Amino acid sequence: MILDAAEERLARQGPEGLRLQDIARDVGISHPAILHHFESREGLVRALIARTNAQLRDSLLGALGSDAANQDAADHIGHVFEALSDRGTARLLSWLLLTGRATEESDAHNIMGEIVEALQAKREEYAKDQGTPAPDKEDTLFIAMLTANAAFGEAIVGRQLAEAAGLDQDGIKRFRKWFAKLLNDHLESGS
């Protein structure tokens, strides 16, 4: 419950919303009860990071591991954008990176490697089924990086940019579809 409340505050207010007294009030417990479970605000942040990393990893790798034969880039793009936009995940990860809290030993650094490996395996399986050469792993890495950068950008400043450009929620959905088509076209060209 404490992590759920912290996650909700993070999504609404960003990292500055992670005040233990406010979270305790949201959950209906005392501030010392939070300290009992997490020892400090930093301990709560570490627990939230671990949970966020696990959720992000499970969501993205689960989407890539799906056996649905008709899944294309649009389906996977949707999972990436949702995983980063929901519950303030992109905000939290950005804050960790900008404040130096994300270390090379953290799970966050391992997620991208796992995603690239899973995506490459999926692409190799598809190429084998089609009787075509296996795709270049660097191309897979670039696709994953482009998608992550676009999803992070949308999650952090996308709404403001869309509004400034005159796009509504439907316009944002059209952008996602356009982006997915761009990737699909690239994948189908065998580049």
Side-chain angles (χ1 to χ4, degrees), residues 60-115:
L60 299 178
L61 291 176
L64 287 171
S66 168
D67 287 333
N70 62 348
Q71 268 196 327
D72 62 8
D75 296 317
H76 296 303
I77 298 287
H79 286 291
V80 173
F81 279 79
E82 288 168 19
L84 290 171
S85 294
D86 291 350
R87 298 182 302 266
T89 302
R91 278 185 173 184
L92 176 62
L93 294 175
S94 297
W95 176 63
L96 295 172
L97 292 168
L98 293 171
T99 59
R101 285 179 169 89
T103 64
E104 290 184 18
E105 296 82 37
S106 73
D107 289 339
H109 278 76
N110 298 327
I111 292 172
M112 182 59 99
E114 288 183 62
I115 290 168

Side-chain angles (χ1 to χ4, degrees), residues 14 19-20 78 87 98 103 114 155-157 163 169 172-173 190:
R19 290 187 295 273
L20 297 184
R87 298 182 302 266
L98 293 171
T103 64
E114 288 183 62
I156 295 173
V157 296
E163 287 175 12
Q169 188 62 35
I172 292 170
K173 289 177 184 175

Side-chain angles (χ1 to χ4, degrees), residues 74 77-78 81-82 154 159 162 167-181:
I77 298 287
F81 279 79
E82 288 168 19
E154 182 186 296
R159 303 277 183 240
L167 290 177
D168 58 7
Q169 188 62 35
D170 288 334
I172 292 170
K173 289 177 184 175
R174 287 192 310 276
F175 165 73
R176 287 181 179 184
K177 287 181 182 177
W178 174 86
F179 184 72
K181 182 182 180 325

Side-chain angles (χ1 to χ4, degrees), residues 120 123 135-144 186-187 190-191:
Q120 180 68 15
R123 291 182 75 199
D136 181 61
K137 188 167 182 181
E138 185 173 78
D139 185 68
T140 302
L141 171 62
F142 290 171
I143 289 168
H186 171 77
L187 292 169
S191 297

